Amino acid sequence: MIAVAIDGPSGVGKSSVSQEVAKKLGFFHLDTGALYRAIAYYAVKNEIFSGFSANELKKIDIKVEFKDNSQSTFLNGENITELLRNEEIAKIASKISREKLIRNFLIVIQRNVAKENNVIMDGRDIGTVVLPQANLKIFLTAKPEVRAQRRFLELKENGHKNVIFNDVLKEIVERDNEDSRRKVAPLKVAEDAVFLDSSNMNLNETVLKIMNLVKGIL
Ligand code: DC
């Protein structure tokens, strides 16, 4: 099986890029952020505000399905894919992702996908922790201002008329800090990763660049 790890900070477009690359290669694309978001969704639904116990985790069954090049995420049988992409869930996901118990719980799901499928896996710790033996590791980043600008335009396009650029930038910087400063599996560049700054690249250019890197390992 072939595994490509794409790690990087939030708002860099890892998921869009990974999805395109996976489509071109006929690989699965696992968006691991969705798994952390699924636990965040469970926490909100069950009003868990301070830490998950091993017993609580036993009540959680997370499954992913890949159809027509896109991932659906299921929590205890319910398809929650569309309920995960909002800022409230993102913040809680970032918070709960510090918990070792949760990370260990989700590592199993991630590794199982890679065991049985050729996969492009995107996240924060794929190259460093989840798949240290990945065939190719990419650290995809862009300047915070560039990521904030992309997110800002996306929000505006989606009808959030009153969104303020500086608020978006502040959230991006806060999440960068939280994700890279946590003790367990922080966001960092794997020693053997290819570092790719996409500040001056659009989606297609980034996809092309990654496709060229992937061709080198096939
Ligand atoms: O990629 P995303 O924005 O959907 O991720 C949401 C949060 O989940 C992110 O702030 C940190 C956490 N996360 C993580 O700790 N490790 C991963 N492999 C993926 C996400």
Side-chain angles (χ1 to χ4, degrees):
M1 291 296 146
I2 298 166
V4 177
I6 302 187
D7 289 304
S10 48
V12 72
K14 290 185 303 288
S15 276
S16 313
V17 167
S18 302
Q19 188 152 1
E20 276 306 303
V21 173
K23 188 172 163 190
K24 285 183 189 294
L25 293 166
F27 285 16
F28 281 172
H29 162 224
L30 180 66
D31 163 12
T32 62
L35 306 177
Y36 289 89
R37 286 171 187 253
I39 306 247
Y41 176 82
Y42 180 92
V44 173
K45 221 176 160 187
N46 294 280
E47 301 182 351
I48 299 170
F49 302 114
S50 60
F52 272 77
S53 64
N55 261 345
E56 198 66 45
L57 282 177
K58 277 190 196 136
K59 297 184 203 158
I60 302 180
D61 174 42
I62 294 177
K63 287 211 164 61
V64 284
E65 257 181 39
F66 304 96
K67 232 185 240 167
D68 301 330
N69 187 46
S70 84
Q71 171 181 332
S72 298
T73 309
F74 293 81
L75 172 69
N76 294 337
E78 182 194 355
N79 186 343
I80 57 165
T81 315
E82 300 302 326
L83 307 173
L84 301 177
R85 302 232 63 90
N86 61 69
E87 208 43 48
E88 185 203 1
I89 292 290
K91 271 192 193 145
I92 299 170
S94 182
K95 191 164 160 254
I96 55 120
S97 67
R98 285 183 224 141
E99 294 182 34
K100 201 166 170 61
L101 221 52
I102 290 179
R103 302 203 73 85
N104 288 342
F105 175 75
L106 293 179
I107 272 186
V108 180
I109 301 174
Q110 296 167 76
R111 287 187 178 154
N112 280 343
V113 171
K115 221 180 267 169
E116 291 159 14
N117 310 282
N118 292 328
V119 69
I120 310 285
M121 204 179 284
D122 85 78
R124 305 290 191 288
D125 62 335
I126 310 306
T128 49
V129 178
V130 180
L131 303 175
Q133 310 298 336
N135 303 73
L136 173 66
K137 299 177 187 179
I138 294 164
F139 192 88
L140 182 63
T141 190
K143 292 192 186 84
E145 292 74 14
V146 174
R147 287 183 276 135
Q149 181 66 16
R150 289 178 190 162
R151 170 91 20 113
F152 174 72
L153 292 177
E154 192 181 286
L155 286 166
K156 282 221 145 177
E157 265 168 33
N158 292 332
H160 297 83
K161 289 203 181 79
N162 298 326
V163 60
I164 298 167
F165 175 78
N166 277 338
D167 290 348
V168 180
L169 178 60
K170 195 168 152 247
E171 276 189 354
I172 292 242
V173 172
E174 269 171 16
R175 206 126 77 79
D176 281 1
N177 284 340
E178 275 164 24
D179 291 347
S180 40
R181 285 191 192 148
R182 66 169 179 241
K183 287 204 191 83
V184 192
L187 171 68
K188 63 172 188 201
V189 189
E191 267 176 26
D192 48 352
V194 178
F195 187 87
L196 197 57
D197 186 332
S198 67
S199 298
N200 297 312
M201 290 157 87
N202 64 25
L203 177 77
N204 281 341
E205 290 165 334
T206 313
V207 169
L208 262 178
K209 176 90 195 167
I210 293 181
M211 280 303 290
N212 282 335
L213 292 168
V214 174
K215 279 178 194 152
I217 59 150
L218 294 180

